[in-house]
Amino acid sequence: MKIEEYIKERVSDYYWRENVNCATTMLNTLSELYEINLDRQVIHSAIGMHGAGGFGAQCGLVEGSLMLIGILGKEKGVPAEEIINVCYCFAQEFEGKFGSLSCKQLRPQGFKPDNPPHLCEGLTNQAVQFTVEYLERKMR
């Protein structure tokens, strides 16, 4: 199975079968791709990271990616300062690609009760692919 198909399938499963948010979906999908087992507390820590609980702050796709970068970096023995730099550059490149780090801008309709569920599924697929490509360049 091609990576794009795998990403699309896993994102759909996390959103529609597990009914979890974007940060949790990102963190879980990336951890599977990099074969990293996550403690359940790590997964639980992402529960409110969808724009700070729907407030519209930093996008959960960014937050889930940053969490994985830290975990992957430590697993590979990368020094903390280098991980910090990789996170900084990730944020810079994500903003350049998607136009913002802010959920409020990436999801301008907010989190209204009448919004369809998992409105960011397409963006999530793109963001997972972007993150995988970024990590392949920065953390081989």
Side-chain angles (χ1 to χ4, degrees), residues 54-74:
F55 181 75
Q58 184 164 282
C59 173
L61 300 172
V62 175
E63 292 174 328
S65 295
L66 293 174
M67 290 175 72
L68 194 280
I69 290 170
I71 294 166
L72 182 62
K74 290 306 280 181

Side-chain angles (χ1 to χ4, degrees), residues 84-108:
I84 292 167
N85 185 57
V86 169
C87 288
Y88 180 94
C89 292
F90 174 83
Q92 190 173 44
E93 289 189 30
F94 188 99
E95 184 176 54
K97 168 82 173 166
F98 297 103
S100 181
L101 300 176
S102 169
C103 180
K104 196 173 283 188
Q105 292 177 339
L106 294 170
R107 185 184 168 120

Side-chain angles (χ1 to χ4, degrees), residues 8-67:
K8 189 173 181 181
E9 180 180 302
R10 296 308 295 140
V11 166
S12 179
D13 284 348
Y14 281 116
Y15 278 147
W16 298 101
R17 289 196 179 127
E18 307 258 343
N19 197 33
V20 296
N21 69 19
C22 54
T24 305
T25 297
M26 177 65 85
L27 187 57
N28 280 328
T29 303
L30 290 172
S31 70
E32 290 172 12
L33 287 167
Y34 289 94
E35 300 178 345
I36 295 173
N37 292 319
L38 299 175
D39 292 333
R40 80 187 143 104
Q41 291 91 346
V42 173
I43 300 300
H44 295 165
S45 72
I47 287 173
M49 289 189 176
H50 55 290
F55 181 75
Q58 184 164 282
C59 173
L61 300 172
V62 175
E63 292 174 328
S65 295
L66 293 174
M67 290 175 72

